[in-house]
Amino acid sequence: AWLTSLLLGVVILIIVWAVALRPYRASLSSLGLRPPEVPTPKWVRMTVGVLLLSLGATALYALLVRLAGTDILLPPEIPVDIVFPGPGVALTFLALALWTPLTEEIFFRGFIFAGLIPRWSAPGAMIISAIIFSVFHVSPGVLIPIFITGSLLAWLYRQSGSLWPSIIAHAGQNAAALLATI
């Protein structure tokens, strides 16, 4: 899992560099890797709120799907064997709870969402980028929860003017999922 995460993240960064940064001589700050534009207490509250809403929406979705008896639409369990034993758990955590949120937020919010805003406006870009983010995660059981999470992360990025709150909320979501398997 950590090797896949590492390689996928590198591919994502190469694509963003080749398509967005290099041709336009743009900086990382153009992708949102800059300090939030709102006061710290506000962006911290928004980040925690997005994280809690995302976790809550995922839990509610799983409960409703279980009650409906449509197990095929349940979010998949994280396989216990992707979390390495002993010190290897740190590698898993670094890959899935830090590296993956960083690279995915750069790609889905900093590159795709921000790139769609001029053509589709912020609400349209939010929906389209959340759909792309959801489909990227492949499993039918996560399409709806990840769409909700993607929408919330795009909103957070737009409201804060920075990717860092979205990266933190995304990392919190992934860390919670990992901790649930330990």
Side-chain angles (χ1 to χ4, degrees), residues 9-10 44 48 54 68 83-84 94 101 119 124 129 141 147 157 160 169-170:
V10 168
V44 169
V48 170
S54 179
V83 179
F84 294 113
L94 285 171
R119 171 170 251 159
S129 67
F147 172 81
Y157 170 45
S160 68
H170 191 155

Side-chain angles (χ1 to χ4, degrees), residues 5-67:
S5 171
L6 176 67
L7 293 175
L8 188 56
V10 168
V11 168
I12 284 171
L13 294 178
I14 289 170
I15 290 169
V16 170
W17 176 78
V19 174
L21 298 179
R22 183 172 175 255
Y24 299 101
R25 298 175 192 215
S27 67
L28 289 174
S29 67
S30 68
L31 295 172
L33 292 172
R34 56 183 172 264
E37 297 171 357
V38 297
T40 300
K42 183 174 182 176
W43 73 257
V44 169
R45 281 192 308 273
M46 291 188 311
T47 302
V48 170
V50 162
L51 175 58
L52 293 175
L53 279 170
S54 179
L55 291 171
T58 302
L60 178 61
Y61 171 81
L63 175 67
L64 293 173
V65 168
R66 271 195 192 92
L67 290 174

Side-chain angles (χ1 to χ4, degrees), residues 126-146:
M126 195 178 298
I127 291 167
I128 294 167
S129 67
I131 289 170
I132 295 167
F133 182 57
S134 187
V135 170
F136 176 80
H137 285 82
V138 181
S139 172
V142 296
L143 288 174
I144 292 172
I146 290 184

Side-chain angles (χ1 to χ4, degrees), residues 11 43 55 67 71-74 78 82 86 93 102 107 118 120 125 139 141 145 149 159 166 172 176 178 180:
V11 168
W43 73 257
L55 291 171
L67 290 174
D71 291 349
I72 194 164
L73 294 177
L74 275 173
I78 293 179
I82 72 163
F93 190 83
L102 174 69
F107 186 73
W120 295 96
S139 172
T149 297
Q159 294 301 308
S166 298
L178 280 173

